Amino acid sequence: MRALLTLTVGGPVRVATTALAIVVIAAVASGSGWDLLRAAWMMSLAASGFTLLYAVLALVAAATGACDETPAPASEEADRG
């Protein structure tokens, strides 16, 4: 059974692809393809908003120096050889 599942499903990317294909086929077959398309559009808008917010926060952090790390001082034991 494990060999069959590995052959059919494989890794995480193949699992996600298989699940997406099943959802799309089921939605189109049941006649709610437009609802699925509408939901995908709304999710893409939400993801775009999240990405924009994250990018703005990253730019602000870089501009203010909030993400700069101070280098750790070298230990004296490393110099003794």
Side-chain angles (χ1 to χ4, degrees):
M1 185 67 180
R2 181 180 292 178
L4 177 63
L5 287 175
T6 303
L7 178 66
T8 305
V9 181
V13 175
R14 290 179 74 186
V15 170
T17 305
T18 303
L20 178 67
I22 290 170
V23 167
V24 169
I25 290 169
V28 172
S30 67
S32 55
W34 286 112
D35 295 332
L36 180 66
L37 184 64
R38 208 172 313 135
W41 172 251
M42 293 303 292
M43 286 304 299
S44 69
L45 288 178
S48 297
F50 176 77
T51 303
L52 179 67
L53 178 66
Y54 187 81
V56 168
L57 288 175
L59 287 173
V60 168
T64 60
C67 60
D68 293 340
E69 294 183 17
T70 57
S75 66
E76 293 179 12
E77 295 179 6
D79 293 335
R80 293 182 188 169

